[in-house]
Amino acid sequence: EAQVTQNPRYLITVTGKKLTVTCSQNMNHEYMSWYRQDPGLGLRQIYYSMNVEVTDKGDVPEGYKVSRKEKRNFPLILESPSPNQTSLYFCASSYGTSGRDTQYFGPGTRLTVL
Amino acid sequence: GESVGLHLPTLSVQEGDNSIINCAYSNSASDYFIWYKQESGKGPQFIIDIRSNMDKRQGQRVTVLLNKTVKHLSLQIAATQPGDSAVYFCAEMGEMDSNYQLIWGAGTKLIIKP
């Protein structure tokens, strides 16, 4: 089944404790992206990647890192999480490199930073 | 920055009736628009898209209308069913620094009354 998977689905952590949320897609998509979703704000892009080893900042990159060492995986790293990073996170992928193709979303990761 | 917004945060519709969800966008240069559906606990799911060289596009029970003159987008759902209950997002594809980025609206919650 073609899908985007994220792990973990739920995470509660404390301020300053480094964490990684994994994202993997099995559709051989070039473009991958991370979003955060907060009430009343819709989805805001954190980082995106057009290809392996190519990443770029989205609208709200502060406090986040990403890497794209292989096509299928695009982990989101919070080096020192803070309470304002409590949010619902979605990973997405799409076929082409530009991001103009239909994006397929993972099930989401709900993160709480205490 | 550019913004995409929705007129009504919540829409309540009788089962079997038609639903119309509206969306305003601000970037007149955007040439691609997408509607996503997000059910509770899930990631956004693509419904239908439209390019700026069209003013109407139909899918199965859904129709998207684009009015470029007033920068307005709408999603019409025919004969709404309980499974249509979800939050609906419009998004526009805007070009920033030679890359294409999805700009999301805040979402409209559709409630289907039995």
Side-chain angles (χ1 to χ4, degrees):
Chain A
E1 180 188 356
Q3 60 183 350
V4 179
T5 56
Q6 296 177 227
N7 281 292
R9 294 290 313 279
Y10 302 91
L11 179 60
I12 300 174
T13 190
V14 294
T15 298
K17 186 176 181 181
K18 181 179 178 180
L19 67 92
T20 299
V21 184
T22 65
C23 173
S24 183
Q25 51 92 5
N26 62 0
M27 296 170 279
N28 202 35
H29 283 171
E30 303 286 347
Y31 186 95
M32 297 186 75
S33 180
W34 275 102
Y35 295 88
R36 61 177 288 173
Q37 185 177 31
D38 302 289
L41 295 177
L43 277 82
R44 293 180 293 168
Q45 192 177 48
I46 303 171
Y47 268 94
Y48 64 93
S49 169
M50 292 186 289
N51 213 326
V52 175
E53 301 292 0
V54 179
T55 64
D56 215 338
K57 296 178 180 178
D59 292 324
V60 289
E62 293 77 22
Y64 304 95
K65 286 174 56 177
V66 293
S67 70
R68 188 89 182 274
K69 292 183 169 56
E70 48 191 339
K71 184 182 277 191
R72 64 182 294 128
N73 296 322
F74 190 46
L76 179 69
I77 303 153
L78 284 72
E79 294 272 4
S80 183
S82 61
N84 64 11
Q85 292 179 299
T86 292
S87 188
L88 179 59
Y89 292 86
F90 288 101
C91 180
S93 72
S94 62
Y95 177 72
T97 58
S98 70
R100 283 180 69 83
D101 302 297
T102 301
Q103 294 196 26
Y104 296 86
F105 285 81
T109 295
R110 185 166 291 282
L111 172 66
T112 301
V113 183
L114 302 175
Chain B
E2 303 295 345
S3 65
V4 179
L6 293 168
H7 295 309
L8 293 173
T10 302
L11 178 64
S12 189
V13 176
Q14 201 74 39
E15 183 178 349
D17 287 352
N18 297 334
S19 303
I20 300 175
I21 302 172
N22 295 305
C23 178
Y25 65 94
S26 58
N27 184 0
S28 56
S30 291
D31 62 355
Y32 181 51
F33 304 88
I34 312 125
W35 281 99
Y36 281 88
K37 172 185 180 184
Q38 186 176 22
E39 296 176 273
S40 181
K42 297 183 180 180
Q45 181 182 13
F46 171 87
I47 304 173
I48 192 168
D49 59 1
I50 188 168
R51 300 199 180 271
S52 60
N53 60 351
M54 304 170 69
D55 53 20
K56 179 179 180 179
R57 190 162 188 223
Q58 288 184 288
Q60 187 176 11
R61 281 202 308 119
V62 294
T63 301
V64 56
L65 299 177
L66 175 62
N67 185 332
K68 294 181 288 294
T69 303
V70 294
K71 291 185 284 188
H72 183 267
L73 194 66
S74 69
L75 177 71
Q76 300 178 2
I77 304 173
T80 48
Q81 304 167 359
D84 294 328
S85 292
V87 177
Y88 290 82
F89 293 94
C90 65
E92 68 178 297
M93 186 67 73
E95 185 177 354
M96 292 180 64
D97 299 325
S98 302
N99 292 318
Y100 290 95
Q101 187 175 1
L102 265 181
I103 302 167
W104 294 72
T108 292
K109 185 174 183 179
L110 179 64
I111 298 171
I112 309 302
K113 296 182 288 187

